[in-house]
Amino acid sequence: MIDPFAPAHVTAGHVRSGELAVIEVVEASLAHIEALNPALAAFTDVTAERARAAAREIDRKRKAGESLGPLAGVPFAAKNLFDIAGLPTRAGSKINRENAPASRDAALIERLTAAGGVLVGGLNMGEYAYDFTGENAHDGNCRNPHDLSRMSGGSSSGSGAATAAGMAPVSLGSDTNGSIRVPSSFCGLFGLKPTYGRLPRTRTFPFCDSLDHLGPLARNVRDLALAYDALQGHDAHDPVCAPRAVALTAPEIARGVEGLRIAIAGGYFDTGGMPEASAAVASAARALGARDIVDLHGALEARAAAFLITNAESSALHLDRLRTRAMDFDPDTRDRFLAGAFVPAVWQVRAQRVRRWFHDEMLKVFETFDVIIAPATPCSAPKTGERVLHFRGSDLPLRANIGVFTQPISCIGLPVVAAPTFGGELPIGVQLIAAPWREDLCLRAAHALEESGVSRVRAPTGLRS
Amino acid sequence: MSSTEKPAFDAELVIDALSPALGLDIDPGLKAGVAVYLRVAERMARIVEAAPVPEDEAELAPVFRPGRSGEDA
């Protein structure tokens, strides 16, 4: 009996040693997906035959004595804005599923495959990634494995639900304003949003080029680091991808946080009146020995800048579809996309200047601190269909405000790991933020939290396959 | 309104005025919802406008590197 919650690195070790045949791992994963997906709506496409063929090939290689990758035989799945050869890249939309099938996998799918991973399918997501809830009018609302009446979080909703439910120990998501970190928080996972420009976005459907990031989600930090390491490397097909050498993190994660200067984000990130977020930050701070509170001056303005850049750029991307097929959009994204068409250029340009300014302000903070702890979301997963977020004494539109704590960080491209805490009835995450290109520090802090017990991922109770 | 006070932002007026230039024909049933989000954008614009960005100094965030996409530098 194969445990669907076995860590990916353990599975890969058993595959390499010959204790496990990849075809058995894949068949177990496919059976688990088939059993759970009707309740969760995490997968929109299951690539069963491709997965079986890949599994047989890895098993053949092992028998032939060929070397196998660090993720040998590990099932993984990708948000459906990643190209998957043979499938239309729907990007959560009704319109794009009419496109011709992709002829080649996204670069990051190719890299995980080269590391021995086995793609088992494409994952549900909020339409065109303009979403924090996991709700989707076309493919159904993705549900939270810890409580099926609640949101998975978005827009990498299927990534969060599938990995939390044991359907794929590693998944790929995208994060423009928080779309890896929000589902990681709600579903109780680790998610890494690397530095802007670290991972190539080649052959993925964009949302907002200025802010789009890709990254992995996993149930433990070693799996997260192994996946991230396999994903690294320059690709000139994405003009934003930085020509930097691969900086392996998996060998670094167990170094602990001794000597790291860790602070708690205050001011804009203050969690007063948010008991779950407050408890999450406090438990992470205690475990990491953080006492200093630092006011991240400019976060409010950066959040506003991210909102405007996203609204204007994404609307420009979709303008022709908005002209001709507005009624085919998900009603929950359509009005926002349409509004973005009316954003004056001067607002957007000002937002880009604010982005540079906040970036420079944050570099000063990183002269004093190595890692900053901030809340990932103001609350744990809301009920599906909830429209209102109670936030600092006001009732705000929930959909646009779940990412209030994640948006300023992605606005300036800082690397960040969302790490889960399990102090209450539902999981809720914290952000571990470092200076540009220091993903290693985020992962070390996350590993320390995992070792302390604060961030040890729990399998959802009540889910049966 | 005093002579120095900024006039209230009329999102629906902006939508009506710019739609022809943008080639958008906003369904009347959608206009109020679109206006809600445009007003949110305007509030965000006021926040970025008030940011103490060094005038005439700060570079824009995006960096443009000339050269054909897909070729290594």
Side-chain angles (χ1 to χ4, degrees):
Chain A
M1 176 80 182
I2 290 173
D3 177 7
F5 296 97
H9 63 274
V10 171
T11 298
H14 288 160
V15 165
R16 279 193 298 271
S17 68
E19 290 168 70
L20 261 182
V22 182
I23 192 69
E24 293 174 52
V25 177
V26 165
E27 291 295 355
S29 175
L30 293 172
H32 197 56
I33 293 166
E34 188 178 357
L36 294 186
N37 205 48
L40 292 172
F43 280 76
T44 51
D45 298 279
V46 180
T47 53
E49 284 316 305
R50 169 186 165 145
R52 290 186 178 109
R56 284 191 286 266
E57 175 60 12
I58 299 170
D59 284 334
R60 184 199 64 75
K61 281 184 178 175
R62 191 197 59 76
K63 283 179 190 152
E66 295 178 33
S67 69
L68 302 180
L71 296 172
V74 171
F76 75 95
K79 185 174 185 174
N80 69 30
L81 57 68
F82 286 73
D83 281 1
I84 296 174
L87 295 175
T89 305
R90 60 177 87 188
S93 71
K94 174 183 176 184
I95 295 170
N96 283 43
R97 73 190 61 192
E98 297 168 9
N99 292 346
S103 59
R104 183 176 169 184
D105 289 342
L108 295 193
I109 291 180
E110 289 185 347
R111 289 180 180 181
L112 283 190
T113 303
V118 177
L119 182 77
V120 291
L123 297 166
N124 202 355
M125 59 176 282
E127 187 180 56
Y128 293 128
Y130 214 165
D131 169 54
F132 286 128
T133 65
E135 295 173 352
N136 183 302
H138 314 300
D139 289 309
N141 298 336
C142 187
R143 294 188 175 83
N144 192 311
H146 292 276
D147 180 341
L148 295 176
S149 72
R150 292 180 184 272
M151 296 175 180
S152 58
S155 64
S156 306
S157 51
S159 312
T163 294
M167 299 157 106
V170 172
S171 56
L172 293 173
S174 69
D175 188 316
T176 303
N177 285 291
S179 286
I180 288 174
R181 292 162 287 161
V182 169
S184 294
S185 178
F186 287 177
C187 294
L189 293 172
F190 293 97
L192 169 63
K193 185 206 74 61
T195 310
Y196 180 69
R198 173 73 89 175
L199 300 182
R201 304 163 305 176
T202 308
R203 296 184 294 281
T204 61
F205 193 81
F207 173 24
C208 168
D209 185 71
S210 287
L211 302 171
D212 284 344
H213 305 67
L214 306 177
L217 298 87
R219 289 194 303 270
N220 66 78
V221 178
R222 181 158 299 283
D223 288 355
L224 192 72
L226 283 172
Y228 166 62
D229 288 349
L231 295 170
Q232 288 186 56
H234 181 236
D235 179 356
H237 290 89
D238 177 355
V240 166
C241 187
R244 297 180 73 92
V246 171
L248 295 180
T249 58
E252 304 292 318
I253 58 171
R255 284 179 59 192
V257 292
E258 188 76 29
L260 293 185
R261 302 162 299 172
I262 303 177
I264 304 157
Y268 176 87
F269 294 92
D270 186 87
T271 51
M274 299 167 226
E276 295 167 301
S278 181
V281 169
S283 63
R286 259 196 315 278
L288 297 177
R291 288 181 194 85
D292 292 310
I293 296 175
V294 59
D295 187 355
L296 305 185
H297 179 55
L300 171 75
E301 292 84 351
R303 192 270 174 134
F307 184 100
L308 289 169
I309 293 165
T310 303
N311 203 204
E313 276 193 33
S314 64
S315 180
L317 175 71
H318 292 293
L319 189 58
D320 198 48
R321 282 178 281 273
L322 293 166
R323 285 174 178 144
T324 57
R325 300 190 61 177
M327 301 315 279
D328 285 334
F329 278 66
D330 187 322
D332 276 327
T333 69
R334 179 179 52 219
D335 291 356
R336 284 201 288 170
F337 278 126
L338 282 168
F342 301 93
V343 168
V346 291
W347 294 0
Q348 189 193 358
V349 171
R350 177 76 182 180
Q352 290 284 15
R353 292 183 68 190
V354 166
R355 189 174 165 219
R356 172 68 68 195
W357 164 73
F358 180 55
H359 168 268
D360 294 350
E361 291 291 307
M362 283 300 294
L363 290 193
K364 293 177 205 163
V365 172
F366 286 118
E367 289 171 7
T368 309
F369 297 106
D370 299 304
V371 175
I372 296 163
I373 305 167
T377 49
C379 56
S380 62
K383 291 276 188 190
T384 295
E386 179 63 59
R387 315 293 285 188
V388 176
L389 176 72
H390 305 292
F391 185 75
R392 292 184 178 142
S394 298
D395 285 346
L396 302 176
L398 179 129
R399 206 175 172 87
N401 285 287
I402 295 174
V404 66
F405 293 137
T406 52
Q407 278 184 284
I409 308 307
S410 36
C411 177
I412 57 169
L414 299 176
V416 49
V417 167
T421 71
F422 295 83
E425 283 182 28
L426 291 164
I428 182 169
V430 296
Q431 298 184 88
L432 303 167
I433 306 157
W437 314 111
R438 297 308 307 268
E439 288 84 354
D440 59 321
L441 300 183
C442 306
L443 289 161
R444 277 172 62 187
H447 188 262
L449 274 188
E450 187 178 39
E451 290 290 296
S452 77
V454 167
S455 288
R456 194 150 301 151
V457 168
R458 296 176 192 172
T461 53
L463 272 184
R464 293 283 179 271
S465 70
Chain B
M1 188 178 82
S2 76
S3 58
T4 56
E5 203 173 317
K6 198 174 166 188
F9 180 73
D10 188 334
E12 301 214 8
L13 186 68
V14 171
I15 292 167
D16 289 339
L18 286 181
S19 287
L22 292 167
L24 286 170
D25 182 13
I26 307 275
D27 186 287
L30 301 182
K31 193 159 58 168
V34 177
V36 165
Y37 284 108
L38 188 52
R39 281 193 283 274
V40 174
E42 195 268 342
R43 283 201 295 279
M44 297 294 174
R46 273 189 270 145
I47 294 171
V48 298
E49 195 69 33
V53 177
E55 296 303 328
D56 303 328
E57 278 183 32
E59 296 171 6
L60 295 181
V63 174
F64 177 74
R65 292 189 194 87
R68 193 171 296 140
S69 173
E71 288 180 2
D72 279 305

